[in-house]
């Protein structure tokens, strides 16, 4: 099963990297509407995301900056769980800025790829709590499958926003 999971990840990563490679700095903070979740630079120079513990209704449209922060957050959290380290608190995961965000995502992707290389099919049967919580009864295979889908979803959202920005600037 690990070979299939790796192929699925490679396909998802190719889609993500296609869009990440094409981003300009301006793409990251472009707001496609009035109701958005984005990232904001605070007085200390740290970039922080908009976030709510309970998803608002209507759901704000995320900016590319917010989506890249979100990728950094869930990937860092997943790797911490697998490494047996405490996951970072949401408030500890900043957005490093446009160029650095893409670089950080590439580092996380390489770490994830290395992890997949180190796993066996037997490892995949072990328990995983992220992102479901302690009593979910999920396996590491479930976590890997979830991460591949989450990566694909974020890549599609980034691509859609990139294309919308491109066509909106031509009118």
């Amino acid at each position: 099963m690990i070979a299939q999971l790796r192929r699925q990840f490679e396909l998802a990563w190719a889609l993500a990297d296609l869009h990440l490679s094409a981003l300009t700095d301006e793409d990251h903070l472009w707001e496609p509407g009035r109701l958005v979740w984005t990232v904001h630079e605070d007085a200390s120079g740290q970039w922080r995301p908009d976030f709510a513990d309970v998803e608002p209704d209507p759901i704000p449209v995320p900016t590319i900056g917010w989506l890249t922060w979100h990728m950094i957050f869930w990937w860092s959290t997943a790797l911490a769980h697998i490494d047996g380290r405490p996951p970072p608190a949401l408030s500890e995961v900043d957005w490093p800025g446009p160029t650095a965000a893409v670089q950080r995502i590439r580092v996380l992707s390489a770490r994830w790829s290395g992890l997949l290389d180190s796993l066996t099919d037997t490892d995949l049967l072990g328990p995983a709590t992220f992102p479901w919580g302690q009593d979910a009864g999920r396996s590491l295979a479930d976590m890997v499958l979830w991460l591949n889908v989450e990566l694909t979803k974020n890549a599609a959202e980034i691509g859609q926003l990139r294309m919308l920005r491109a066509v909106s600037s031509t009118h």
Side-chain angles (χ1 to χ4, degrees), residues 6-85:
R6 169 158 273 302
R7 282 195 299 273
Q8 184 191 47
F9 168 70
E10 288 170 355
L11 177 61
W13 177 247
L15 175 62
D17 197 45
L18 172 80
H19 293 303
L20 292 171
S21 295
L23 291 175
T24 66
D25 286 357
E26 294 77 25
D27 289 335
H28 288 266
L29 298 177
W30 177 71
E31 296 185 1
R34 291 185 320 222
L35 182 60
V36 297
W37 271 357
T38 192
V39 288
H40 305 274
E41 192 171 19
D42 66 19
S44 70
Q46 294 284 318
W47 288 88
R48 300 291 176 197
D50 293 327
F51 199 82
D53 290 328
V54 176
E55 201 164 79
D57 183 20
I59 299 170
V61 177
T63 63
I64 291 172
W66 191 94
L67 288 165
T68 56
W69 165 81
H70 188 242
M71 292 172 75
I72 291 165
F73 172 73
W74 58 250
W75 226 335
S76 298
T77 303
L79 285 163
H81 276 276
I82 290 173
D83 291 342
R85 295 179 287 113

Side-chain angles (χ1 to χ4, degrees), residues 109-123:
S109 172
R111 285 190 58 210
W112 188 256
S113 182
L115 169 78
L116 291 177
D117 286 342
S118 73
L119 294 175
T120 66
D121 286 348
T122 303
D123 294 330

